[in-house]
Amino acid sequence: MVHSKVQAVTERIIERSEQTRAEYLAQVEKSHIEGRAASHLSCGNLAHAIAASSQEEKNLIASGRGPNLAIVNAYNDMLSAHQPYGAYPDLLKKAAARNGATAQVAGGVPAMCDGVTQGRTGMELSLFSRDVIAMATAISLSHDVFEGSMFLGICDKIVPGLVIGALAFGHLPAIFVPAGPMPSGLPNPEKARVRQLYAEGKVGREELLAAESASYHSPGTCTFYGTANSNQMLVEIMGLQLPGSSFVNPGTELRNALNDAAVKQLVNITEPSQHTPIAKILTEKTFVNGIVGLLATGGSTNHTLHLVAMARAAGIQITWQDMAELSDVVPLMCHVYPNGVADINHFAAAGGMQFLIRELLSAGLLHDDVHTVLGNSGLKPYCHDPFLNDDKSGLVWRPTVEETGNPDIIRPVSDPFSQHGGLQLLEGNIGRSVIKVSALKNDQLKVKAPAIVMNGQDELLERFKAGELEKDFVAVVRFQGPQANGMPELHKLTPTLGVLQDRGFKVALVTDGRMSGASGKVPAAIHMSPEAADGGNIAKIRDGDIIELDSEAGVLRVHVDDAELEAREPAEHDLSANGRGMGRELFSNLRALASGAESGASVLY
């Protein structure tokens, strides 16, 4: 039986989305064609589509005997997580041939690294890259010569963008093919310790670079539980990847076998008797499952934006209120850095996704009556771990472990780290925002202190270096929303505020910007909506106003008389410098069109 609160939230989403979902599904039905795509092309169209293919591939595509599969690739060799994708297309094409199919690289999409652009001007393009990726995915598939799609992407905005683009072609079966995390390097708490020492001026750049390089050291996803690995959790619990495929290291025999199996399964679900388009997988129940997974693992707050935008692409309307109500009943089952000391490899070894899904299913916190890339078998197959068979020629799936391999990393539903999920909705006279509570200690859940108002993260760093922040305060960093400057992450603030917190001061952050999926040590009310540039009350806060942040009660308010707050003129800030340089001039119209954080911070809806 599904938990009553999970069922109630799901039914509310279904009711709220009735019209938009029906419109979406009608478009999906209109786009679906019977038979192979090639049979609907003119000879000129088809000749162009297969001109560079081998003669064997030309014959197979033209004959329509097997499906032609699209590969949409987010490869570049600067992102460690995406570097393995350089070799994938040839390997996937060979796997397709072994299964009587063909595959073509339909297109590439951009993949920027927030770790590289963190705190720099280029970060102002980061969030909007999600919608650019969605549009690039649509262009890739617009040739209309495919029966199924493979999506190669892992990191921050890339997976959400690929999902949104894939849903525009909801009539096509689709599968996501990950590359996996890098092996464990320098422990994340040690990396964080060196960062704080650098912020205090106690070590130099040489020591800092050595620590960072020992942490981020090889191909694969960064090993902390930020947005990239939250993406992998989501696409697996939502049934878009094979069971157990998220956290297998690149270049291993098991990784290669999983990739081959992904191609084979995609071929299977393109057949008329098993046809499973992505529109059938990504339903209201599936998105609820994704939210539950995010809460149970203490995942990235960026998904309070991305899940809303992804769902909207499927005609489904989810809200922060839905997430907050689910958080009331979904326990926090995982401690993975920054919520603990373990990394994502340790999480996988201790039971990982399969243990998590089995526990959530057993407690009625997930919908099992869903389709996945395995068809209509629900999530029970996702309680099995993949292994190489004896001759290493393929895979076998075995039931996951009965008990956690490490209760400091992952626990059963009956003995969670917290009865409350990792996210909380905050409301009050400033607006609405979200906070990640899974990494906070009990004495950090409530902060009441004077505001120090700033219009950018660099101002806070300067005031810290000048010794002006040695006290209790709430940093209000505004004009950081999607309309103001593209909503860059403000991760540079975490080490500095962490230093002050460790010195015994009560500190917190209130911002209409974003924080990294790796943040969490400092209480941070983020994604404030409405943002300052859109007339939000965050623009009316003044230095010295008392801010109350209570993440237990879900309250965020400025202690100013209602009449006075209403009468205050909102602060203005010169945003002209955000308009040019580092390509930002190409995104000026997107900033003007961007929706608020609570509706996904998207230019598409």
Side-chain angles (χ1 to χ4, degrees):
M1 295 290 292
V2 176
H3 190 287
S4 58
K5 175 63 73 172
V6 175
Q7 186 63 35
V9 170
T10 305
E11 290 174 359
R12 188 173 65 211
I13 293 171
I14 291 171
E15 181 178 359
R16 182 191 305 134
S17 309
E18 183 177 5
Q19 180 176 344
T20 50
R21 181 65 173 171
E23 291 170 353
Y24 172 74
L25 292 176
Q27 179 58 47
V28 169
E29 181 62 28
K30 184 178 178 180
S31 300
H32 176 69
I33 59 173
E34 298 295 335
R36 299 296 185 201
S39 65
H40 299 270
L41 299 177
S42 72
C43 292
N45 294 148
L46 183 57
H48 277 85
I50 63 177
S53 301
S54 70
Q55 190 59 52
E56 183 178 358
E57 290 169 331
K58 289 178 181 179
N59 293 340
L60 188 56
I61 294 172
S63 70
R65 292 195 304 273
N68 188 33
L69 309 176
I71 301 171
V72 180
N73 197 353
Y75 163 74
N76 66 48
D77 60 10
M78 183 197 68
L79 271 72
S80 60
H82 288 207
Q83 186 269 354
Y85 285 143
Y88 269 40
D90 285 345
L91 297 173
L92 298 176
K93 289 178 182 181
K94 290 175 182 177
R98 290 193 294 271
N99 288 279
T102 52
Q104 296 177 298
V105 176
V109 302
M112 67 179 292
C113 179
D114 290 2
V116 176
T117 58
Q118 197 66 254
R120 298 179 59 79
T121 303
M123 174 59 84
E124 295 182 18
L125 308 187
S126 173
L127 179 58
F128 291 149
S129 76
R130 179 195 65 193
D131 295 356
V132 171
I133 289 164
M135 291 184 279
T137 299
I139 292 170
S140 300
L141 297 177
S142 66
H143 298 97
D144 198 24
V145 294
F146 307 109
E147 282 81 49
S149 306
M150 290 179 275
F151 296 97
L152 313 186
I154 289 180
C155 288
D156 298 347
K157 288 2 130 269
I158 301 150
V159 165
L162 290 171
V163 170
I164 293 169
L167 282 166
F169 290 77
H171 59 290
L172 292 178
I175 197 165
F176 279 67
V177 186
M182 66 178 67
S184 300
L186 181 75
N188 285 299
E190 175 63 15
K191 174 192 68 180
R193 186 186 72 85
V194 176
R195 283 179 175 176
Q196 287 203 180
L197 289 174
Y198 179 77
E200 294 176 274
K202 294 179 179 179
V203 301
R205 282 182 60 88
E206 184 177 350
E207 292 88 347
L208 179 63
L209 180 59
E212 298 284 358
S213 297
S215 181
Y216 310 118
H217 60 91
S218 71
T221 314
C222 305
T223 58
F224 61 83
Y225 192 49
T227 310
N229 286 320
S230 296
N231 281 339
Q232 297 308 296
M233 180 282 300
L234 277 174
V235 290
E236 185 163 339
I237 205 169
M238 294 171 73
L240 292 175
Q241 287 183 175
L242 290 179
S245 63
S246 293
F247 302 123
V248 176
N249 301 129
T252 61
E253 291 180 312
L254 181 56
R255 174 84 277 155
N256 295 336
L258 282 164
N259 295 345
D260 287 350
V263 178
K264 182 177 182 179
Q265 187 56 29
L266 180 60
V267 171
N268 289 341
I269 61 175
T270 64
E271 295 302 321
S273 61
Q274 303 181 59
H275 194 254
T276 310
I278 190 172
K280 185 179 287 188
I281 294 174
L282 293 184
T283 65
E284 296 91 340
K285 291 181 178 180
T286 305
F287 276 101
V288 168
N289 286 349
I291 296 170
V292 169
L294 188 73
L295 296 168
T297 57
S300 170
T301 52
N302 279 320
H303 280 296
T304 62
L305 306 174
H306 299 326
L307 276 166
V308 173
M310 291 158 62
R312 188 64 183 83
I316 297 167
Q317 299 180 46
I318 59 177
T319 68
W320 288 353
Q321 186 64 41
D322 299 328
M323 298 181 189
E325 292 188 23
L326 289 170
S327 192
D328 288 339
V329 298
V330 175
L332 179 64
M333 298 167 57
C334 304
H335 267 182
V336 186
Y337 187 84
N339 308 334
V341 298
D343 70 20
I344 203 68
N345 293 307
H346 303 140
F347 165 76
M353 290 298 301
Q354 282 50 61
F355 183 87
L356 175 81
I357 292 172
R358 191 197 64 202
E359 286 293 308
L360 291 170
L361 274 175
S362 69
L365 294 170
L366 291 175
H367 294 285
D368 191 34
D369 54 338
V370 293
H371 285 75
T372 72
V373 292
L374 299 180
N376 65 353
S377 52
L379 285 178
K380 288 187 175 64
Y382 285 75
C383 304
H384 291 67
D385 295 297
F387 294 89
L388 292 169
N389 59 21
D390 291 340
D391 63 3
K392 297 184 178 181
S393 61
L395 294 172
V396 293
W397 269 269
R398 299 170 186 157
T400 193
V401 293
E402 289 297 320
E403 298 182 357
T404 174
N406 188 331
D408 292 331
I409 299 173
I410 183 169
R411 294 184 179 180
V413 168
S414 59
D415 182 31
F417 292 99
S418 169
Q419 294 294 338
H420 187 282
L423 295 173
Q424 176 67 285
L425 172 66
L426 301 177
E427 298 180 275
N429 59 356
I430 306 174
R432 288 159 63 92
S433 66
V434 294
I435 185 171
K436 182 175 181 177
V437 297
S438 51
L440 299 180
K441 298 177 182 177
N442 287 337
D443 62 353
Q444 298 165 346
L445 296 174
K446 298 180 182 180
V447 177
K448 189 175 183 180
I452 297 179
V453 181
M454 289 155 277
N455 295 330
Q457 59 181 336
D458 290 337
E459 184 179 344
L460 185 143
L461 301 178
E462 291 167 4
R463 295 178 74 165
F464 171 76
K465 292 175 182 178
E468 298 175 7
L469 302 180
E470 301 286 325
K471 53 189 174 183
D472 295 351
F473 69 95
V474 174
V476 178
V477 183
R478 60 197 184 188
F479 294 102
Q480 303 298 308
Q483 292 183 24
N485 64 352
M487 207 179 190
E489 288 183 346
L490 306 176
H491 190 43
K492 280 204 308 185
L493 299 179
T494 302
T496 302
L497 292 173
V499 167
L500 295 168
Q501 188 171 259
D502 290 347
R503 290 177 182 174
F505 299 112
K506 296 281 283 186
V507 297
L509 173 69
V510 174
T511 181
D512 49 10
R514 292 186 297 130
M515 290 290 281
S516 167
S519 64
K521 176 180 178 180
V522 177
I526 60 174
H527 305 174
M528 181 57 65
S529 183
E531 63 175 288
D534 193 31
N537 276 350
I538 190 173
K540 294 185 176 183
I541 298 174
R542 296 175 181 173
D543 282 341
D545 287 346
I546 300 300
I547 304 288
E548 178 186 4
L549 189 162
D550 185 341
S551 57
E552 290 183 319
V555 171
L556 177 67
R557 64 178 291 107
V558 56
H559 284 267
V560 174
D561 180 78
D562 290 345
E564 180 185 343
L565 188 63
E566 178 67 25
R568 282 183 182 180
E569 288 293 322
E572 295 183 358
H573 182 55
D574 183 4
L575 300 173
S576 60
N578 300 336
R580 302 193 68 81
M582 203 60 64
R584 288 178 293 174
E585 54 268 36
L586 303 179
F587 287 74
S588 59
N589 287 341
L590 298 189
R591 286 195 294 274
L593 291 171
S595 66
E598 195 162 2
S599 47
S602 176
V603 304
L604 301 176
Y605 313 111

